[in-house]
Amino acid sequence: EAEVAQSPRYKITEKSQAVAFWCDPISGHATLYWYRQILGQGPELLVQFQDESVVDDSQLPKDRFSAERLKGVDSTLKIQPAELGDSAMYLCASSLVEGDSRGRGNTGELFFGEGSRLTVL
Amino acid sequence: GQNIDQPTEMTATEGAIVQINCTYQTSGFNGLFWYQQHAGEAPTFLSYNVLDGLEEKGRFSSFLSRSKGYSYLLLKELQMKDSASYLCAVRPPWNQGGKLIFGQGTELSVKP
């Protein structure tokens, strides 16, 4: 069964350092999402891509966070510099979208990767 | 904007039935999802409702009332492995790109 791949699974870093996360969505999924999930809370959307274009990055702290999906396939999320409050699980998800012939009749559900757990010391 | 409310935690007994409620206030609506998330793992899709009524899938059922902004997830014949967080999520209209907005999650503990 196709899966969303993420790496690294775990990352420990010191504050002020740079950190990067990688995501490879399910083949054929045009839409890719990065969510942040703080322990005990629900996932919060950081950025959404449609192919290589950003659809929504309104909740992305752009002074320190950046995200790209240059060829419309895999994606990288970067934090520089990391702060203590960035400690969280970073989840990548992908989905088909309405109007996509491959997804006709699909629910548009999001498929999540295993996540990257970040600890900032 | 969107506001989604669900209880923080619930406890139930193995073999019993539990209902997890979710209420939402939205400026637009294009479907409601339930996800299950075990500790330290990714959320996995459980159910989807876009029209009013009950959707049943094995031991899990989900109900939606759009006029009341209300949904529930019903879990029957509870098993220990059902101990997890259950996330209610609303999808805004398609012109906002298909994203899901999640509630805080309900931590369900199933006891013997």
Side-chain angles (χ1 to χ4, degrees):
Chain A
E1 184 177 318
E3 294 182 344
V4 176
Q6 285 190 249
S7 66
R9 187 79 194 274
Y10 302 94
K11 178 69 177 179
I12 301 174
T13 191
E14 294 185 345
K15 62 180 182 179
S16 79
Q17 296 299 303
V19 61
F21 305 111
W22 176 81
C23 172
D24 191 14
I26 293 173
S27 178
H29 281 195
T31 310
L32 184 147
Y33 313 79
W34 284 102
Y35 281 83
R36 175 172 61 186
Q37 186 175 27
I38 296 170
L39 195 64
Q41 299 183 18
E44 173 194 22
L45 181 71
L46 292 175
V47 61
Q48 177 183 342
F49 290 92
Q50 178 69 30
D51 299 308
E52 67 277 6
S53 300
V54 173
V55 173
D56 184 350
D57 64 356
S58 58
Q59 299 303 309
L60 187 71
K62 298 181 186 63
D63 56 336
R64 298 184 301 107
F65 285 65
S66 64
E68 60 184 16
R69 194 184 184 198
L70 294 177
K71 297 182 179 178
V73 180
D74 58 339
S75 175
T76 302
L77 176 70
K78 297 179 181 178
I79 308 174
Q80 181 174 17
E83 296 181 352
L84 295 177
D86 297 332
S87 294
M89 176 79 87
Y90 290 83
L91 293 163
C92 179
S94 68
S95 70
L96 292 167
V97 293
E98 188 179 60
D100 185 323
S101 61
R102 291 162 295 181
R104 186 163 295 155
N106 87 93
T107 66
E109 73 197 72
L110 271 58
F111 295 84
F112 284 87
E114 291 289 308
S116 295
R117 178 166 293 285
L118 173 66
T119 301
V120 182
L121 303 175
Chain B
Q2 316 273 5
N3 187 46
I4 302 169
D5 289 312
Q6 50 181 132
T8 303
E9 54 186 25
M10 299 181 70
T11 302
T13 303
E14 191 176 16
I17 299 173
V18 70
Q19 178 175 312
I20 303 173
N21 296 324
C22 172
T23 58
Y24 62 91
Q25 297 90 40
T26 66
S27 56
F29 177 84
N30 188 29
L32 188 139
F33 294 75
W34 285 95
Y35 278 77
Q36 180 190 59
Q37 187 177 27
H38 285 100
E41 298 182 8
T44 55
F45 171 75
L46 285 178
S47 69
Y48 167 73
N49 297 71
V50 67
L51 299 177
D52 291 351
L54 189 68
E55 294 285 341
E56 297 186 82
K57 189 187 298 184
R59 295 190 298 114
F60 294 73
S61 302
S62 57
F63 172 83
L64 175 66
S65 169
R66 288 171 296 169
S67 63
K68 296 182 179 179
Y70 169 68
S71 173
Y72 67 72
L73 179 70
L74 193 70
L75 291 76
K76 303 176 185 177
E77 301 171 13
L78 280 173
Q79 302 176 10
M80 299 299 290
K81 67 179 182 179
D82 297 329
S83 292
S85 180
Y86 291 85
L87 299 162
C88 174
V90 170
R91 181 168 60 200
W94 277 115
N95 61 7
Q96 295 187 40
K99 66 186 179 187
L100 298 186
I101 298 172
F102 287 86
Q104 67 177 10
T106 298
E107 190 69 36
L108 174 66
S109 297
V110 180
K111 300 192 181 303

